Amino acid sequence: METPRSRSRTPLKLTPTPLKLTFRPAERLCYATGALLVLSGCVHLVVFAVDGGPWDGPVSWRKPVTFGLSFGLTLIAITWVTSYLRVGLRLRTTLLVVFAADCVVEVGGITLQAWRRVPSHLNMETGFDTAVSMTLAVGGGVLVVLLTVFAVASFRNRPAGPLGMPLALRSGFAILLVALLTGAAMIARGVVLTRTGHQEAAYHSTAPLKPLHGVSLHAVLVLPALAWLLSRAAWSDRTKQRVMYAAVGGYAAAVVGAGVWAVLTW
């Protein structure tokens, strides 16, 4: 006869529950949009391989390639990392949808001008070109505002996430602000040169700041991704923290190096 005591010794058989990732509609929209922008960049890389032409300069296939990849990855990264921020759901949803739309406008305008074989930025040759250029400039301003709001939120309240994620997010957003400032500086200097009749100089004036802009732009993806990977490593918390601090220091050193180069070649 089975007693209560014998029943208590019977091992329980637990059926593992599969891990499911659930995304809200706005997140799915942003991830899908980011993937399409990345795909656009890859397609134009093929176009460049077939059509040829210069890689550098104001008129080249480089711009739809790099902007498609960069904006797509940034949109995906921001959608992911902001899930760790302590911001209201409605506010985050609104900011992400506007951010996704702005990314599409930026990449779309640049791609359109590439197919028209005319410069996309700082191009005031015709009324249409001026409209596209100013739309891209205004869109850049919108990006600055949106990403600054997320950056402030990361410092206002400690982000959630595994060990190292708060440091990664705050460092990533702080470095991202450097990218936003350099982008604004490039546009401002180019517009001034264009308005004063130095169109060709305006196209080449952004070159010194491009490495700094590019390096600092993706810290918000690289550092949180590292923190996520470390959370799955079988290392001690102390080791994970050391690796995270070393990564942040190394990334900051790369940004400083790019900044020094920009100052020397400005």
Side-chain angles (χ1 to χ4, degrees):
M1 180 176 179
E2 185 180 22
T3 65
R5 185 173 182 180
S6 63
R7 287 198 302 268
S8 65
R9 291 180 180 179
T10 303
L12 296 176
K13 294 183 179 180
L14 299 178
T15 303
T17 302
L19 178 62
K20 295 183 179 179
L21 296 177
T22 57
F23 301 112
R24 296 184 174 89
E27 293 175 328
R28 290 197 295 268
L29 172 66
C30 291
Y31 284 130
T33 303
L36 288 176
L37 294 178
V38 171
L39 178 61
S40 174
C42 294
V43 168
H44 283 90
L45 184 59
V46 175
V47 173
F48 168 72
V50 174
D51 186 63
W55 180 254
D56 295 321
V59 181
S60 72
W61 293 116
R62 168 186 56 83
K63 299 192 76 172
V65 171
T66 56
F67 276 79
L69 294 175
S70 183
F71 271 86
L73 289 175
T74 300
L75 176 56
I76 292 172
I78 293 298
T79 304
W80 171 52
V81 301
T82 55
S83 66
Y84 294 106
L85 300 183
R86 302 183 188 278
V87 295
L89 175 60
R90 181 175 298 179
L91 175 60
R92 176 173 175 259
T93 298
T94 301
L95 294 177
L96 285 178
V97 171
V98 175
F99 183 58
D102 202 12
C103 289
V104 172
V105 170
E106 292 289 305
V107 176
I110 290 164
T111 303
L112 171 65
Q113 296 297 72
W115 281 97
R116 294 182 65 235
R117 304 300 178 112
V118 296
S120 54
H121 292 88
L122 311 174
N123 183 1
M124 311 294 180
E125 296 296 328
T126 67
F128 182 80
D129 293 330
T130 300
V132 173
S133 180
M134 294 307 297
T135 299
L136 295 177
V138 172
V142 173
L143 292 177
V144 171
V145 173
L146 295 176
L147 294 176
T148 300
V149 171
F150 283 133
V152 171
S154 70
F155 283 93
R156 186 175 182 180
N157 296 299
R158 181 180 175 83
L163 179 69
M165 186 61 77
L167 173 63
L169 288 172
R170 287 174 170 175
S171 302
F173 274 112
I175 296 174
L176 178 62
L177 293 179
V178 176
L180 299 179
L181 291 175
T182 54
M186 287 190 288
I187 293 174
R189 188 183 188 193
V191 169
V192 170
L193 289 173
T194 299
R195 295 297 187 185
T196 55
H198 301 87
Q199 186 69 58
E200 193 64 27
Y203 291 143
H204 299 286
S205 65
T206 60
L209 289 176
K210 284 182 179 178
L212 176 60
H213 181 71
V215 170
S216 55
L217 185 63
H218 296 293
V220 75
L221 170 61
V222 174
L223 295 177
L226 176 60
W228 182 84
L229 290 173
L230 287 175
S231 69
R232 279 148 180 77
W235 296 346
S236 66
D237 289 349
R238 187 173 182 180
T239 300
K240 293 178 182 178
Q241 287 179 328
R242 287 179 176 177
V243 171
M244 201 66 241
Y245 277 116
V248 171
Y251 210 109
V255 172
V256 170
V260 171
W261 188 89
V263 171
L264 294 177
T265 57
W266 184 263

